[in-house]
Amino acid sequence: MGKIGLIGAMDEEIALLLQGMDSKEELKRAGISFVQGQIHGRDVVVCKSGVGKVNAAMTTQVLIDSFQVDMIWFTGVAGAVNPTLDIGDIVISSSCQQHDMDASPLGFERGVIPYQEVSDFPAAKELIQLAQEACDKLCTDNRYIVGRVLSGDQFIADYKLVSQLYRKMEGACVEMEGSAVAQVCYMNQIPYVVLRSMSDKADGTADVNFAEFTVKAARRSFEIIDDMLQRLV
């Protein structure tokens, strides 16, 4: 088993991972702090990418080039797009796609990157299964689904847009980093998975829900990552 890159977009999303690390060593690359160490005896590199697709893509490439990680897991919170999801529920990425990639005037469907063979980047099946096993154990009071994670450099809080993302792009949740991580991993042939805990329903109440539920949702995401690390062989 190789080295695992663990990314969160915010402090709340990586704080518990850092607390659980042994033999920590911090290095800075491109203005980002990367902490190497071990969790449950597994070699890991934990970092906060910052918000947005550019930050996420850059962080992912640094993990691959400078730290030689063999897989990448992204953990954090998201807004629910699938109407069956509620706050606290979990989405495990089946794939990730950019919802704000829109070249439709040129004849491309929304989310399709022009002149590129793949625009919906599949997560690693073995990591999806690992996450499912962790959720089967831990998600006793909330549900989880495996579904498409949609990403864009927008904080979505519009019910009509949420409905479009669900109906037209078959999204499970919406956030601001996952598809960038997925694309960089795909181009480098590195397995990845994105795990998102629903902090809001992306429906116009996000300003109320987000602050209230982020800490709770981030803790649930950490518990799943922690269990996955223990299960990994």
Side-chain angles (χ1 to χ4, degrees):
M1 188 213 70
K3 188 183 295 184
I4 307 163
L6 301 175
I7 310 176
M10 300 184 297
D11 288 326
E12 295 92 338
E13 295 168 349
I14 65 167
L16 294 172
L17 289 169
L18 293 175
Q19 290 176 22
M21 288 181 70
D22 299 315
S23 306
K24 287 187 281 190
E25 178 187 7
E26 182 176 356
L27 298 169
K28 284 206 170 182
R29 298 284 188 276
I32 296 170
S33 174
F34 294 84
V35 182
Q36 297 187 95
Q38 292 189 327
I39 301 177
H40 301 302
R42 311 294 189 187
D43 291 329
V44 300
V45 184
V46 175
C47 58
K48 181 181 75 171
S49 65
V51 175
K53 292 185 297 180
V54 173
N55 282 327
M58 179 180 66
T59 301
T60 302
Q61 194 65 56
V62 171
L63 279 171
I64 295 168
D65 289 343
S66 297
F67 296 93
Q68 292 82 48
V69 298
D70 298 286
M71 64 186 76
I72 290 179
W73 306 354
F74 196 109
T75 178
V77 298
V81 170
N82 184 318
T84 68
L85 290 170
D86 207 344
I87 293 168
D89 290 347
I90 302 295
V91 172
I92 303 167
S93 62
S94 57
S95 65
C96 294
Q97 188 171 14
Q98 299 178 63
H99 69 77
D100 62 350
M101 174 61 68
D102 188 359
S104 54
L106 299 178
F108 297 93
E109 290 185 10
R110 182 174 183 171
V112 171
I113 303 170
Y115 317 116
Q116 186 164 302
E117 288 186 4
V118 178
S119 299
D120 185 24
F121 302 97
K125 292 182 179 179
E126 63 273 17
L127 297 182
I128 294 173
Q129 181 177 347
L130 194 68
Q132 287 180 288
E133 292 170 356
C135 287
D136 284 337
K137 173 184 175 183
L138 296 168
C139 296
T140 55
D141 56 343
N142 296 99
R143 66 189 295 262
Y144 74 89
I145 65 171
V146 178
R148 178 175 293 142
V149 174
L150 299 179
S151 309
D153 290 322
Q154 304 166 357
F155 193 102
I156 304 298
D158 180 274
Y159 176 78
K160 290 183 180 179
L161 180 53
V162 168
S163 180
Q164 290 176 11
L165 295 178
Y166 177 64
R167 290 185 292 104
K168 295 184 178 181
M169 297 191 70
E170 299 179 343
C173 67
V174 63
E175 37 87 295
M176 302 174 75
E177 297 84 25
S179 67
V181 173
Q183 182 172 346
V184 173
C185 285
Y186 178 85
M187 296 174 75
N188 286 274
Q189 298 183 305
I190 297 289
Y192 87 92
V193 70
V194 172
L195 303 166
R196 291 291 190 175
S197 182
M198 301 302 100
S199 62
D200 61 86
K201 300 192 76 169
D203 59 359
T205 59
D207 56 334
V208 176
N209 293 339
F210 186 77
E212 182 178 351
F213 289 99
T214 291
V215 173
K216 179 180 178 181
R219 172 168 286 278
R220 174 53 55 86
S221 295
F222 160 75
E223 290 171 348
I224 294 169
I225 290 284
D226 190 68
D227 189 79
M228 289 172 65
L229 288 168
Q230 295 180 67
R231 292 173 183 272
L232 193 64
V233 293

